[in-house]
Amino acid sequence: MLVATELKGELARIHPARACCRRAELAGLLFGRRGPHSRRAASIRTLDHATARVAVQLAASVGVRAEGPMPAVSGSAPAHHGSATRRHLQVVLDQSADESLAWDEAKACDRRAFLRGAVLNASISLGAGGTHIEFVFGEAAPANQLLSRLRSVGVRGGLLTRRGRSVVYIKGQEEVATLLRLTGANRALLDFEAGRVARDVRNRLNRLLNAEEANVDRTVRAADRQLQAIAQLAASGELKRLPDGLREMAAQRSRQPDADLDTLASALGVSRSAVNHRLRRLVALAAEARPEAS
């Protein structure tokens, strides 16, 4: 099963050849990590070592000074990163780091690089209990902007507010698969698709087994009613007065109490519908005889 660390590890091993793609990926990592038009240093906090390493490498490749990765100082976590008691790594980039990207004018490769950086800094869950990716921001503006950018490349997401933070979320196997394809996570995509196929096959098999079990249960109950009816007709003496076809049917059912209709039809040399009709007739005759017997 694909896990978040494997996905981020694969993304971290992608080294963009073009400087524009490296700047775009760094912009994705930094996106929403400081207020609009702020010139203060940007800080990337992550639990993932690969993400921290990528932040330093990208910064160095585009001439931005970076410090770290280092353990995050307790109590210094921004509001959009949750509890400060978690063991985050922190990379601090100087004010020359740029998180902006002219999305509408950006080339396709720059858009993919930007999304790759954003996913590296996202919260990812790909377990059997559900598939979703979350991008958490302290303000609504970058959340709305990211949601618009995702939609422009065919990834549908949602927006919610959780504990004062804006969260862009992507749920559903098709949406997650599209995002993995865009970011270049090909191995992760194959693992994800394999897991999805396995789950689909397992679910289909379970449905078939449940349906078969229900069919067997109905067959057993029907056979029990038929055997009781035959026993009642035999005890009352009615069975020997029935036409030959019904008596043969009763005898065959008594010899094969667990057989299905096809097996009984083959043994008698008649059609399946004829067997079904005769058995229904035996049950009906037994029901008609009960009031007389009482």
Side-chain angles (χ1 to χ4, degrees), residues 1-9 124-127 188 191:
M1 182 183 67
L2 176 65
V3 296
T5 53
E6 293 174 352
L7 168 57
K8 290 189 175 184
I124 302 173
S125 174
L126 302 173
D191 290 346

Side-chain angles (χ1 to χ4, degrees), residues 181-193:
R181 190 177 299 109
L182 286 169
T183 57
N186 298 322
R187 175 62 183 273
L189 178 61
L190 288 175
D191 290 346
F192 179 74
E193 293 287 7

Side-chain angles (χ1 to χ4, degrees), residues 8-19 21-27 29-30 44 46 48-69 90-93 97 116 120:
K8 290 189 175 184
E10 181 180 2
L11 294 178
R13 290 190 293 272
I14 298 175
H15 302 291
R18 298 179 179 180
C21 294
R22 295 194 294 271
R23 285 192 294 269
E25 186 169 339
L26 183 60
L29 270 170
L30 291 173
I44 298 173
T46 178
D48 186 69
H49 287 261
T51 300
R53 184 179 69 251
V54 168
V56 174
Q57 292 173 345
L58 288 173
S61 71
V62 297
V64 174
R65 186 172 61 86
E67 297 180 1
Q90 179 172 289
V91 177
V92 179
L93 289 79
R116 183 164 58 246
L120 279 168

Side-chain angles (χ1 to χ4, degrees), residues 91-111:
V91 177
V92 179
L93 289 79
D94 68 24
Q95 63 182 18
S96 63
D98 189 4
E99 65 177 274
S100 64
L101 178 69
W103 184 263
D104 293 336
E105 292 78 29
K107 295 179 291 187
C109 61
D110 291 344
R111 290 187 175 194

Side-chain angles (χ1 to χ4, degrees), residues 40 58 75 112 173-174 177 225 258 292:
R40 64 178 173 81
L58 288 173
R112 291 193 295 268
Q173 296 176 348
E174 291 297 336
R225 289 194 301 271
D258 299 325
E292 299 175 4

